[in-house]
Amino acid sequence: MQSLPIAEKVKSTYTINNTMGRKILLDKINIPGIKTYEVYRQNGGYASVEKALKTLTPDEVTEEVKTSGLRGRGGAGFPVGLKWSFIDKKSGKPRHLVCNADESEPGTFKDRFLMEYIPHLLIEGMITSSYALGANLSYIYIRGEYMWVFKILERAIKEAYAAGWLGKNILGTDFSLDLHVHCGAGAYICGEETALIESLEGKRGNPRIKPPFPAVSGLWANPTVVNNVESIAAVPWIVNNSGAEYATIGIGRSTGTKLISASGHIKNPGVYEIELGLSVEEFMNSDEYLGGMMDDRPLKALVPGGSSVPILPAHLINKTANGEDRLMSYESLSDGGFATGSMLGSGGFIVYNDTTCIVRNTWNFSRFYHHESCGQCSPCREGTGWLEKVLHRIENGHGRMEDIDLLWDIQSKIEGNTICPLGDAAAWPVAAAIRHFRDEFEFHVRFPEKIKNRDHFVNEPFEKVRHLISKQTV
């Protein structure tokens, strides 16, 4: 029985967009059987490995990636080629490439999609990238909850070994590579590269103090590069078509395409590959993309890059504070700093309509970060718990007016005072929620009887009751 195209199989759940703009990662996603080696190879698969091993030196591959301007797609946005150039090649120690497939950021599910439906693209990227780094032993570290994807990757790797793309003397060259998939135990903290390395070594997943950085002393104290799934999956196209060609896609320093995990109160949730530089307004409202707001209700807020980035109110979503069009790019989404901007992050695009309670949403995020804190740093270990408790108190009608300033004080003492960015990830959503929606927090404190029903803004959105705050103040 011939398998259905992916978009047809999953259209009732989420959308796979393949109609607008250039596609680098999803251009073959609807080919029946593309997850198998035979079909992937028939459609140009592993061509970048052939080109790299037969015509390019490792340094030349690295230069192509640097020329492309490809930035890390896991959230930080650091230039991939530049990160590769930091790896220690002088020590004589073995080198490793580790793929960070520990996709645990709330609102983000694009890496899972790539691995589930076109696993050989990631494997091809791992081989080509390992060659560039001089790595002969590489790993894919996948989150524990993705067990079915783990099995898909293991099957694809077995096919790649059988076809001669992995193992000794690949394509008759002196380059050899062994590739393994390692399944984590469901810890968000292991998405931080040094915690991931600790877990891969069989230890508790606690982040390391840096320096030394993994490029000098990483896995088993060997030079190591850790890259995101989407970042590595873009490498085959860059090698096949040149870094210069990749750099023509996108806008400014936001080159190439980006996978966006779109969810929330929108008509067409799903995984989208967009050219960076697309306007937020077009992405939100075009029928080719998100299709506008579900039930045509008013837009209230947006988290553009996963739960850890600052939330934006409606008036700062389509336009920046300066009145310029807000674009889907690293620079435009961060325009104005955290005062009026946010971050592209991992591309977890969460849209909220006017029935959303910002206090409850913020409490939900804080509950997650409290649960996922490794506990190594006091500000994060204690502070995330305090954030959750105070937000829970406010959301359940027991808040005090001074709690709002207490939240601000707690988050400010967490931010920048921890070994890894999890502390920042817990602090930023709280700060942004208070910065842009303080009146909603005050409403919870002053009118506890109106917010005891968890769906308090469904039948009576906050905009309809906002006037009560000013009346009581007067």
Side-chain angles (χ1 to χ4, degrees), residues 20-238:
M20 296 187 69
R22 296 183 68 173
K23 296 292 178 289
I24 288 174
L25 302 173
L26 301 185
D27 62 328
K28 300 172 184 175
I29 203 70
N30 280 322
I31 297 174
I34 194 64
K35 69 166 59 175
T36 66
Y37 169 75
E38 290 79 9
V39 176
Y40 183 74
R41 179 63 175 152
Q42 289 168 8
N43 287 273
Y46 292 97
S48 72
V49 179
E50 289 183 289
K51 181 177 180 179
L53 268 60
K54 292 182 177 180
T55 67
L56 300 172
T57 67
D59 286 344
E60 286 174 335
V61 175
T62 299
E63 283 303 312
E64 288 291 346
V65 175
K66 289 175 73 173
T67 300
S68 73
L70 174 67
R71 295 167 69 169
R73 302 306 198 214
F78 191 83
V80 173
L82 183 60
K83 188 174 186 178
W84 287 8
S85 69
F86 293 154
I87 196 166
D88 179 13
K89 296 182 179 180
K90 298 179 180 178
S91 65
K93 293 181 178 181
R95 291 166 234 153
H96 308 287
L97 171 64
V98 179
C99 173
N100 186 346
D102 190 61
E103 185 179 51
S104 308
E105 178 86 354
T108 307
F109 43 90
K110 43 91 175 179
D111 291 342
R112 181 200 73 193
F113 183 79
L114 276 179
M115 293 184 289
E116 184 174 0
Y117 291 112
I118 189 164
H120 282 281
L121 178 61
L122 174 59
I123 295 169
E124 180 179 356
M126 287 294 293
I127 299 168
T128 305
S129 302
S130 294
Y131 171 71
L133 295 167
N136 301 117
L137 177 60
S138 296
Y139 291 88
I140 300 172
Y141 184 101
I142 190 169
R143 67 177 294 200
E145 294 88 343
Y146 283 179
M147 185 53 66
W148 83 98
V149 184
F150 170 83
K151 293 176 180 178
I152 290 171
L153 286 174
E154 285 224 306
R155 184 164 55 248
I157 288 174
K158 186 176 180 180
E159 291 176 329
Y161 267 107
W165 298 105
L166 290 169
K168 300 292 184 183
N169 305 116
I170 299 171
L171 298 182
T173 68
D174 59 359
F175 175 66
S176 301
L177 176 65
D178 284 315
L179 178 62
H180 304 283
V181 187
H182 181 89
C183 197
Y188 173 78
I189 191 65
C190 289
E192 195 278 332
E193 61 179 5
T194 61
L196 183 156
I197 290 170
E198 287 283 289
S199 176
L200 193 52
E201 291 180 352
K203 304 171 187 172
R204 178 184 172 90
N206 283 356
R208 296 176 180 175
I209 295 175
K210 295 181 281 190
F213 291 90
V216 176
S217 181
L219 185 62
W220 300 305
N222 294 328
T224 305
V225 166
V226 181
N227 282 139
N228 169 260
V229 171
E230 185 185 349
S231 306
I232 294 171
V235 171
W237 195 96
I238 292 169

Side-chain angles (χ1 to χ4, degrees), residues 13-17 109-110 259-264 266-272 283 290 347 349:
T13 307
Y14 53 76
T15 302
I16 307 306
N17 179 275
F109 43 90
K110 43 91 175 179
L259 292 183
I260 303 296
S261 310
S263 63
I266 47 177
K267 292 179 179 176
N268 304 321
V271 177
Y272 291 82
F283 182 60
L290 306 190
F349 199 87

